[in-house]
Amino acid sequence: MTPLDAAVLAALAGVLGFVFYKAATGLNYHWNWDIIPQFLLRYDEQTRSWRPGPLTLGLFATIRLSLWSGILAMILGLIISLFRVSPSLFKRQIGTTYVGLIRNTPPLVLIFIFYFFIGDQIISLLGVDTFVYTLSDGTKDFLSWFFGPMNRFPQFISALITLALFEAAYIAEILRAGIESVEKGQWEASASMGMSRSQSMLHVILPQALQRMLPALAGQFISIVKDSAIVSVISIEELTFQAQQLMTTTYRSFEIWTLVLIIYFVLTFLCSLAVRKLELTLKRD
Amino acid sequence: MKKSRILSLMALLMLIVSAFGCSQQSPQQQENAKAPETTASQLDTILKRGVLKVGFDTFKPWAMKDKNGKYIGFEIEVAEKLAEDMGVKVEFVPTKWSGIIPALLTGKFDIIIGGMSVTPQRNLKVNFSIPYEYSGMSVVASRKLAPGRSLASEFNNPGTTVAVRLGTTAAEAAKNYLPQAKILFFDEESQTVQELLNERVHAVIASNPLPSTLAAEYPKQLYLPSKKDFTKEPIAFAVRKGDPDFLNWLNNWVRVTMSKGWLQNHYEYWFFSNDWETLIQ
């Protein structure tokens, strides 16, 4: 550490300290951190056991939402990106239209449109609503591990599809760039080995492309975790929605927002660490 | 090369046209399909399903989450009693206030039980039952920025900034009563409170008891310019239009429950006592 580094660090600490000092003394606000822990973890008198608080439940919902929509967006994104690099003009145009349409509209507007107009059509078409009511309690409990409370399942599915459709456009672009970054010679070499186009894509191009696009993909997945906060506007009970509800009840805005900030940071930071690890493993191979 | 390009373009165009064709056709098809359904009341659907789906948003003390994550509040008790009298289970669907009417219209739930005031504008989109309660609008002001004002009308000048929650009757009341003041709209009640405590607005308009509880919690910073509420608004159940059977059932439920004193009794518990405060913090 050079003296300059130390000076920068000291200045940074000073600024942060000043902000916290101002927040603690300058605001007309009754700080009350005592009531916050119960929102994370609470002791249930009736069952005599520890139960997750509202914010923890919201965190679970956020994780479920990001995980499923991440997987769905990955599959959809792969299909779209293959369309984008396809030799067929028709497929290319479909891919371009999709990406262009999604990337050039604000996500908030998209969420509302999908939820109120398209989501409904899909849900009623699949008969999800009636399906949930026919389930036995045991099945519901089991499924709620994966999808959250089953009585909110149609809304959850709707949000999940919306988020996945939206993120797929970005993932498709990452995948396309990855595929196109592989040198032409690789295509020619695999063709000379007698491979068909799909074979060379699967065995030669994609494995090479994957390593190059992993950092960008990881960034996009972390983005999904953060973007999932947007579905709070359509009343999906994820972390942000739970926090807003708690604030409306308790008026403890600063404490709750601070806590939510930390939770999101920890979640996405853990994701980054996991991806860095994966990257190193792939490099060694 | 060129021919294939034109061909594929045409194919894409056909696809788009057919997609639009479908979407144009589908409302008609839906109408045809729904025609017999609309004659059947939502009441029957609820009874068959065995579950009443209730839309609401967190509004202290109408509906809020307690420490155990369960919903409590005046509206929650009303909804539970309503479902009990109907002989079905109740399912709560928390929904952002600004989108609660579209959510009702698109069938995300059967009924809004959420301290919703009747307004002619809302009534154009939904049907209201007869009122089961009344809510009053009040002002809470900052001692530092707007000291010593006694009437709500003293806030009606361009130098005054007022915060309200978006989509509420407080927002409408602010526009009607204080046309000259600058009005800021927020999505959540807690945000308006924060603006007031941070001294960025002179006052907050909201339905009671929020103003009086705020003034009691922050006596050094906030005060009530007027002890009396300046509006009295009917609160009613909102349902989708074109369902006289459901509405008839709701109206008579209100009459019966009111005559027994049940509504008044529970209203007093949630609005004039603080016994439940320990349940949420």
Side-chain angles (χ1 to χ4, degrees):
Chain A
M1 198 159 84
T2 65
L4 184 66
D5 291 340
V8 168
L9 271 181
L12 207 64
V15 169
L16 275 179
F18 180 71
V19 169
F20 281 120
Y21 172 75
K22 270 302 202 190
T25 59
L27 285 172
N28 275 324
Y29 188 76
H30 296 177
W31 289 90
N32 183 6
W33 285 98
D34 294 349
I35 65 156
I36 298 302
Q38 70 194 14
F39 298 144
L40 289 175
L41 198 67
R42 65 185 174 81
Y43 186 74
D44 198 61
E45 298 288 343
Q46 283 170 341
T47 56
R48 291 172 182 280
S49 60
W50 289 92
R51 299 256 152 190
L55 285 181
T56 312
L57 289 176
L59 175 66
F60 290 160
T62 294
I63 294 173
R64 281 189 204 108
L65 199 62
S66 328
L67 212 59
W68 292 122
S69 57
I71 292 170
L72 202 61
M74 197 62 200
I75 296 167
L76 195 63
L78 183 64
I79 295 169
I80 298 288
S81 70
L82 290 179
F83 271 30
R84 292 269 279 159
V85 298
S86 157
S88 142
L89 176 67
F90 178 61
K91 284 184 181 167
R92 276 211 305 280
Q93 275 174 335
I94 288 186
T96 316
T97 312
Y98 182 83
V99 171
L101 217 59
I102 301 276
R103 288 214 310 179
N104 296 311
T105 37
L108 191 66
V109 179
L110 276 178
I111 296 258
F112 275 120
I113 289 182
F114 277 125
Y115 181 61
F116 282 122
F117 303 115
I118 300 166
D120 261 351
Q121 312 275 328
I122 297 173
I123 298 300
S124 51
L125 202 71
L126 297 176
V128 176
D129 218 353
T130 41
F131 168 72
V132 170
Y133 284 110
T134 58
L135 291 174
S136 72
D137 282 349
T139 333
K140 273 187 196 172
D141 283 346
F142 176 72
L143 285 175
S144 69
W145 277 95
F146 300 98
F147 303 109
M150 284 312 278
N151 51 11
R152 307 297 313 282
F153 185 61
Q155 278 96 334
F156 182 81
I157 284 286
S158 186
L160 197 150
I161 293 173
T162 313
L163 210 56
L165 282 174
F166 168 67
E167 298 292 342
Y170 293 87
I171 288 182
E173 280 302 272
I174 294 171
L175 294 180
R176 181 186 66 94
I179 292 167
E180 284 180 349
S181 78
V182 177
E183 294 74 18
K184 262 219 171 81
Q186 298 287 331
W187 284 103
E188 286 158 7
S190 45
S192 67
M193 295 286 287
M195 289 187 183
S196 70
R197 197 188 139 76
S198 51
Q199 277 173 331
S200 32
M201 183 65 103
L202 194 66
H203 299 297
V204 180
I205 308 299
L206 277 181
Q208 294 182 59
L210 187 71
Q211 198 179 336
R212 297 180 192 183
M213 54 207 184
L214 206 60
L217 271 183
Q220 197 55 41
F221 185 75
I222 289 166
S223 230
I224 293 178
V225 174
K226 290 184 283 181
D227 287 348
S228 70
I230 212 172
V231 298
S232 67
V233 299
I234 53 169
S235 312
I236 305 301
E237 292 186 291
E238 44 70 73
L239 187 52
T240 309
F241 186 81
Q242 294 279 28
Q244 285 176 334
Q245 289 224 311
L246 283 178
M247 277 181 265
T248 302
T249 322
T250 60
Y251 304 124
R252 302 259 71 94
S253 314
F254 287 134
E255 292 92 333
I256 294 174
W257 276 134
T258 313
L259 188 63
V260 167
L261 193 78
I262 295 170
I263 295 176
Y264 272 116
F265 176 78
V266 170
L267 185 59
T268 50
F269 188 66
L270 287 178
C271 289
S272 328
L273 285 185
V275 171
R276 198 169 298 163
K277 188 122 203 212
L278 190 66
E279 257 176 68
L280 286 176
T281 340
L282 278 183
K283 252 187 201 145
R284 254 177 239 134
D285 289 350
Chain B
M1 179 73 189
K2 204 162 192 186
K3 201 174 166 193
S4 75
R5 170 171 282 200
I6 290 171
L7 260 175
S8 55
L9 254 176
M10 267 174 63
L12 189 71
L13 239 138
M14 293 265 283
L15 199 81
I16 291 171
V17 168
S18 65
F20 269 99
C22 283
S23 67
Q24 270 174 352
Q25 211 174 9
S26 61
Q28 277 179 354
Q29 283 174 340
Q30 274 184 351
E31 251 172 57
N32 288 340
K34 268 188 184 165
E37 251 180 72
T38 42
T39 52
S41 170
Q42 187 68 22
L43 199 57
D44 298 328
T45 318
I46 296 164
L47 293 176
K48 214 179 280 169
R49 194 201 292 143
V51 175
L52 173 73
K53 289 202 256 180
V54 176
F56 70 101
D57 192 11
T58 313
F59 242 126
K60 203 176 170 183
W62 300 91
M64 51 213 166
K65 260 196 175 156
D66 73 356
K67 281 193 263 193
N68 301 335
K70 267 178 62 185
Y71 286 108
I72 55 165
F74 176 65
E75 293 292 9
I76 301 301
E77 289 195 336
V78 169
E80 276 166 354
K81 172 92 171 129
L82 191 77
E84 187 196 315
D85 291 346
M86 212 180 255
V88 296
K89 278 194 225 158
V90 63
E91 186 185 311
F92 293 107
V93 186
T95 308
K96 290 254 176 179
W97 192 250
S98 44
I100 202 161
I101 287 182
L104 173 74
L105 297 181
T106 50
K108 312 277 186 218
F109 38 78
D110 308 310
I111 184 171
I112 298 174
I113 306 181
M116 182 172 265
S117 311
V118 179
T119 69
Q121 287 76 20
R122 283 177 186 159
N123 213 165
L124 292 173
K125 299 195 187 79
V126 298
N127 277 358
F128 282 108
S129 69
I130 60 170
Y132 57 92
E133 203 41 75
Y134 291 86
S135 109
M137 213 60 80
S138 181
V139 182
V140 55
S142 157
R143 272 190 202 282
K144 198 173 162 195
L145 293 183
R149 300 190 193 181
S150 59
L151 275 172
S153 59
E154 274 183 60
F155 290 89
N156 187 20
N157 55 57
T160 305
T161 316
V162 176
V164 290
R165 185 175 183 182
L166 192 70
T168 58
T169 45
E172 285 174 38
K175 274 188 258 176
N176 292 335
Y177 283 83
L178 312 171
Q180 295 189 34
K182 204 174 145 210
I183 303 166
L184 302 179
F185 300 92
F186 293 91
D187 211 31
E188 300 287 336
E189 203 83 86
S190 55
Q191 292 165 338
T192 65
V193 174
Q194 211 51 63
E195 288 291 294
L196 183 64
L197 289 173
N198 289 353
E199 291 168 358
R200 278 201 288 265
V201 296
H202 295 76
V204 162
I205 298 182
S207 60
N208 258 329
L210 173 65
S212 45
T213 38
L214 273 180
E217 197 190 335
Y218 296 91
K220 277 187 192 152
Q221 290 119 30
L222 308 178
Y223 74 104
L224 293 172
S226 168
K227 287 274 176 296
K228 276 207 288 186
D229 299 347
F230 67 94
T231 61
K232 188 179 185 219
E233 296 168 5
I235 302 289
F237 302 124
V239 294
R240 283 187 289 278
K241 284 176 142 193
D243 195 348
D245 292 351
F246 195 17
L247 213 53
N248 173 267
W249 192 87
L250 290 172
N251 285 344
N252 287 316
W253 183 86
V254 173
R255 289 191 186 102
V256 169
T257 317
M258 206 174 258
S259 71
K260 286 179 184 160
W262 188 94
L263 282 167
Q264 196 53 34
N265 180 4
H266 284 76
Y267 181 78
E268 269 165 24
Y269 172 76
W270 290 103
F271 284 80
F272 300 117
S273 85
N274 279 329
D275 302 345
W276 44 267
E277 195 71 34
T278 50
L279 293 173
I280 56 169
Q281 301 213 2

